[in-house]
Amino acid sequence: MAVEVRRTAAGLQLDLTGEWGIGEVEADRAQLAAIDLGAVHEVKVSTRGVGSLELSGAWALREFLQRAHAAGVAVSFDGTPPAQLHLLDETLKEPEAGSAPQPAAAASVEHRLLDDIGRNAVRAWHDLFDGLAFFGRSCVTFLAGFTSLRHLRPVSIARHVYDTGITAIPIVSLIAFLISVIIAYMSAQQLRGLGVDIYVVDLVTIGVLRELGVLLTSIIVAGRTASSFAAELGSMQLNEEVDALIATGVDPFEVLVLPRLLGLTIALPLLTVIADLVGLAGGAVLCRYLLDMPLTQYLSRANEAISPTTFWVGIIKAPVFALLIGFAGCRHGLQVRGSARVLGHEVTVAVVQAIFLVILADALFAVFFMKLDI
């Protein structure tokens, strides 16, 4: 039975179950049409038992909701309304009439300034709210994926690990090597005159393992991956591929967002380890040829300078940075609407926001570890 009707103190409780596709739409429409809304003030709809809700089934449900609204019945959903209903409402929405003409008299500079501040504040609040909603839905989708390994899509995760991790190894290694050489060179110039050039090893090892390895890797990945995620999902939005997934009853977060987040969360810590190793190698090369320091001495001093927590302080940051980068790229990609110009804007915003969030999170981690004396 696709529709189970129960009468409650407040009105009717509709529990939708089974498949709601093209083959079942006539039976579903007949069951919904048979529901008597007389003397009913409230209807609560639950779609938790629905296997898959295609666009045809959503259309039948939308017809019932319109009939309920016409009868003056308040309709609510047990949880979030299906995305297919939102897609139908957006598709059938009539274009808005032209806005009323603005008064000819120009507002004062103070009024325009206050107006801009207010608009930016409201826009920032909406952006924060949308970000929290995106984070919450991603978490719910991730938890729901544990019910079946198929929902986690391991093949897709493996592909994104390759795209975001393995293909980034050359550029990450090159940047890590060059940055460690620069740090070692600058430190050697200052410390050699004081006769304490041995501390160059301390600066290189601690700086690379705690901060620079994971931070530089995350910034590089933010530029590569956040733009890639935003461009891919934005192009799918422009081509209406995301709407097609929703129309066929497929959750776009399960198919498009979750594999990217999990793949990047796996890839970034591995890239950080590679960046740490290459960075230490770069410091060793410069110490060998600039300070005439034997490799055995470099390794011995590096082992003395590294505390048990130095390496793990950097590695712990990597999954958090990966999630921030993935969230920024996927969220702005799914916000693309209308034209290629919007796509370019959202890709730019995704990269800038990802880099900003990574640096902000790194600063918060620094304060946190300082309070813990780590």
Side-chain angles (χ1 to χ4, degrees):
M1 185 174 186
V3 183
E4 299 178 1
V5 183
R6 293 184 288 113
R7 186 168 294 275
T8 63
L12 293 181
Q13 171 72 38
L14 269 62
D15 295 324
L16 309 185
T17 59
E19 304 296 324
W20 285 63
I22 187 65
E24 300 83 15
V25 63
E26 293 301 329
D28 296 337
R29 182 181 282 113
Q31 292 190 50
L32 292 173
I35 298 175
D36 184 12
L37 297 177
V40 176
H41 301 288
E42 180 180 348
V43 173
K44 191 169 186 179
V45 182
S46 173
T47 59
R48 300 182 185 276
V50 175
S52 66
L53 179 61
E54 297 183 6
L55 209 58
S56 53
W59 185 272
L61 179 59
R62 185 175 183 273
E63 290 177 343
F64 170 78
L65 297 180
Q66 289 180 327
R67 181 164 68 91
H69 287 305
V73 179
V75 179
S76 62
F77 282 86
D78 184 9
T80 306
Q84 290 82 352
L85 290 178
H86 177 72
L87 175 61
L88 286 174
D89 292 337
E90 289 293 321
T91 304
L92 300 176
K93 182 186 297 183
E94 296 182 359
E96 298 180 358
S99 58
Q102 298 295 324
S108 64
V109 176
E110 293 82 1
H111 288 172
R112 290 200 302 269
L113 179 61
L114 290 176
D115 182 70
D116 291 340
I117 293 175
R119 289 180 184 275
N120 290 329
V122 172
R123 189 179 297 111
W125 167 252
H126 288 165
D127 189 66
L128 176 62
F129 182 81
D130 291 341
L132 292 176
F134 186 92
F135 174 76
R137 185 171 177 184
S138 300
C139 292
V140 171
T141 306
F142 175 70
L143 294 176
F146 283 105
T147 59
S148 173
L149 183 62
R150 180 178 59 86
H151 292 298
L152 291 178
R153 302 183 182 273
V155 176
S156 182
I157 292 175
R159 184 181 73 84
H160 289 297
V161 170
Y162 175 82
D163 290 341
T164 61
I166 296 178
T167 59
I169 289 177
I171 184 62
V172 168
S173 301
L174 177 62
I175 296 298
F177 181 84
L178 294 177
I179 291 297
S180 64
V181 168
I182 292 172
I183 294 174
Y185 177 77
M186 294 177 61
S187 303
Q189 292 294 321
Q190 300 298 320
L191 297 177
R192 187 163 51 178
L194 302 175
V196 289
D197 50 1
I198 189 65
Y199 288 112
V200 172
V201 182
D202 298 56
L203 290 173
V204 171
T205 54
I206 296 176
V208 168
L209 293 180
R210 285 184 66 101
E211 293 291 340
L212 294 179
V214 63
L215 183 60
L216 291 174
T217 302
S218 299
I219 292 175
I220 295 169
V221 170
R224 293 181 77 256
T225 306
S227 60
S228 173
F229 287 177
E232 289 175 0
L233 298 183
S235 298
M236 295 181 70
Q237 284 279 32
L238 293 179
N239 295 330
E240 299 181 352
E241 295 176 44
V242 177
D243 292 341
L245 290 175
I246 296 174
T248 55
V250 178
D251 185 3
F253 272 70
E254 177 187 320
V255 177
L256 303 177
V257 176
L258 191 59
R260 285 173 167 82
L261 294 179
L262 293 179
L264 185 57
T265 305
I266 296 171
L268 190 56
L270 301 178
L271 284 175
T272 301
V273 173
I274 295 174
D276 290 344
L277 295 175
V278 174
L280 295 180
V285 169
L286 189 129
C287 289
R288 173 66 182 86
Y289 291 102
L290 184 64
L291 303 178
D292 294 326
M293 182 184 299
L295 180 59
T296 54
Q297 184 180 4
Y298 178 89
L299 294 176
S300 176
R301 182 61 192 178
N303 187 50
E304 295 175 3
I306 298 173
S307 66
T309 59
T310 301
F311 173 75
W312 294 108
V313 164
I315 293 299
I316 289 174
K317 301 176 185 179
V320 179
F321 293 170
L323 290 176
L324 294 176
I325 296 169
F327 280 134
C330 294
R331 188 170 77 88
H332 286 284
L334 292 176
Q335 286 182 340
V336 173
R337 295 290 188 278
S339 66
R341 181 180 180 183
V342 178
L343 174 61
H345 172 74
E346 293 296 340
V347 170
T348 303
V349 173
V351 175
V352 173
Q353 189 176 89
I355 295 175
F356 169 76
L357 291 175
V358 165
I359 296 176
L360 177 62
D362 188 64
L364 295 177
F365 269 118
V367 175
F368 177 72
F369 289 135
M370 182 180 66
K371 293 295 183 181
L372 295 180
D373 194 22
I374 296 178

